[in-house]
Amino acid sequence: MIPLNPEIDRKLRMGLIGGGGAAFIGKVHAISATLDNRARLCAGALSSDPQRAKDSASIFGIHEDRAYENVQQLIESELQLDAKDRIDFVSIATPNHTHAEIAQTALKAGFHVICDKPMTNKVEDARELVKTVEQTGKIFALTHNYTGYPMIRQAREIIEAGEIGDILAIRATYLQGWLTTLDESVTASRGTWKSDPVKAGSGSLGDIGTHAYNLLRFVTGLNVNQLAATTESFHPTRRLDDYGLIQLRMDNGALGIITYSQMSHGRLNDFTLEIDGTAGALTWNQEDPNRLVMQRQGAATEIMHRHPAGAYMHELARLATRIPGGHPEGFYEAFANIYRAAYDDIAKNIANGFNPGINTLYPNVYDGLEGVRLIERVQASSEGNNAWLDF
């Protein structure tokens, strides 16, 4: 484990925006960001409710002097601090419709940004964010955390090495069931904004469909040329999509399909990726993330377990592993791998102005734009009776 960031020989200083109260994802950010001891949480504007923002600070170990009532106060107050004390980056764990404005404000103030997905609700806002990242030269990472799993990175390296041949087809299936029992007449303790079309922008598509899309691109290295989609809202009162089928034509001619649902009874976080190649096939499931299955016709099924000492492990997967084989690693560790990769670039940027450009191990602002474009194209195709659209 690397205790510090070698280029700057200190921990990075983090500010958390959102995530207070009963929120789930804020605690995930706080734990994952500090898991490798390369950063410490120093400041926060933890809620749009000023009192809740203040009250939540102690839970995160934030001193009351740096528990701010809103984003603007956080930015302005941190800029008044000496450079050796102020935060280096902000993590955005707020509702979707706020991401663009908060990220723009932070970047223009000189802070690096790590943001929840989807990056924005509108394509034009995503494009403006790309411009700002390029103009400021700051690091921007998007927390598509499933790309951080060691065996997902193993799959990526297997494909890159040509071990399953050319990609023929990709199936990404992401099924949950929590909406089957959602009663919108009862105020939930968290996540009520996800039912608001203005705040969420999309329903299950933005919540989990974008994860499936990002992961298949990350693993295969392929992009989409065309798509056709159907989305539905099966929940009796919810106004946003909760089920979808997306057909894809990849840039190498491969077929792809994404099935996502939050209306599938009994499914918790059942996210499966299957890839068919000319020489073999790969299968991975998020609920059993330490295992990757490779199959070849007429040969014994090969089951690879996450194991840093395994001779079969590719370097990218080995570097994403923290503990010995047989000791399960999971959601927090994968999330932390996104942070760790971003920290490498943030530290280099602080030290010498390093700019990673478009290709990074962590999902970046360009990946964020692709995710927002997916939402826009899927919604347009569904409204056009499953029409095939250029991507």
Side-chain angles (χ1 to χ4, degrees), residues 91-103:
S91 292
I92 302 173
T94 58
N96 299 348
H97 71 295
T98 66
H99 291 176
E101 182 179 359
I102 294 172

Side-chain angles (χ1 to χ4, degrees), residues 177-386:
W178 65 276
L179 284 181
T180 60
T181 56
L182 177 69
D183 182 353
E184 292 203 320
S185 67
V186 178
T187 301
S189 61
R190 62 180 178 86
T192 55
W193 62 268
K194 290 187 177 184
S195 294
D196 185 334
V198 174
K199 293 181 179 180
S202 64
S204 301
L205 171 60
D207 198 20
I208 60 176
T210 53
H211 270 312
Y213 173 65
N214 177 264
L215 194 69
L216 70 83
R217 289 181 65 242
F218 177 83
V219 171
T220 66
L222 300 176
N223 293 308
V224 175
N225 279 352
Q226 294 180 307
L227 65 75
T230 298
T231 66
E232 296 286 350
S233 180
F234 291 126
H235 192 279
T237 62
R238 196 165 184 264
R239 292 173 288 171
L240 296 169
D241 66 281
D242 50 44
Y243 205 111
L245 302 171
I246 308 170
Q247 301 175 82
L248 306 171
R249 176 70 72 175
M250 311 306 290
D251 54 7
N252 73 332
L255 300 176
I257 187 161
I258 294 172
T259 302
Y260 69 87
S261 167
Q262 292 179 321
M263 287 289 290
S264 297
H265 280 271
R267 302 302 181 101
L268 298 176
N269 200 43
D270 188 358
F271 185 8
T272 300
L273 182 66
E274 300 175 284
I275 302 165
D276 293 332
T278 54
L282 294 172
T283 302
W284 176 85
N285 180 269
Q286 193 277 154
E287 292 186 351
D288 188 11
N290 292 286
R291 189 176 78 153
L292 178 68
V293 178
M294 181 187 292
Q295 295 170 292
R296 295 185 174 91
Q297 193 65 27
T301 296
E302 183 178 349
I303 300 175
M304 289 168 274
H305 293 277
R306 183 205 54 78
H307 184 18
Y312 53 84
M313 291 283 284
H314 286 266
E315 187 67 9
L316 191 64
R318 184 178 290 109
L319 291 174
T321 299
R322 289 174 177 76
I323 54 179
H327 298 76
E329 289 188 344
F331 189 85
Y332 283 117
E333 290 86 355
F335 217 101
N337 281 335
I338 304 302
Y339 268 97
R340 186 159 69 179
Y343 288 164
D344 288 341
D345 283 356
I346 291 175
K348 291 176 185 176
N349 183 276
I350 292 171
N352 56 36
F354 171 76
N355 189 325
I358 195 167
N359 295 314
T360 60
L361 182 57
Y362 53 88
N364 57 37
V365 72
Y366 305 101
D367 297 305
L369 172 60
E370 288 299 297
V372 180
R373 289 183 64 233
L374 174 83
I375 294 172
E376 187 273 335
R377 293 277 82 189
V378 165
Q379 290 174 332
S381 176
S382 184
E383 291 169 1
N385 295 315
N386 194 229

Side-chain angles (χ1 to χ4, degrees), residues 49-121:
D49 180 295
Q51 190 58 50
R52 186 182 299 126
K54 287 283 189 180
D55 292 345
S56 299
S58 62
I59 299 172
F60 290 90
I62 297 172
H63 192 274
E64 60 180 9
D65 290 346
R66 297 176 79 178
Y68 303 110
E69 294 184 357
N70 54 58
V71 175
Q72 198 61 41
Q73 187 184 75
L74 181 148
I75 297 294
E76 292 175 357
S77 298
E78 289 295 313
L79 287 176
Q80 291 175 12
L81 297 177
D82 190 278
K84 66 180 177 58
D85 297 317
R86 76 171 67 112
I87 58 173
D88 298 298
F89 71 95
V90 298
S91 292
I92 302 173
T94 58
N96 299 348
H97 71 295
T98 66
H99 291 176
E101 182 179 359
I102 294 172
Q104 287 280 7
T105 301
L107 289 165
K108 290 175 181 178
F111 299 113
H112 305 283
V113 171
I114 296 177
C115 184
D116 267 350
K117 57 79 214 161
M119 187 169 77
T120 65
N121 276 353

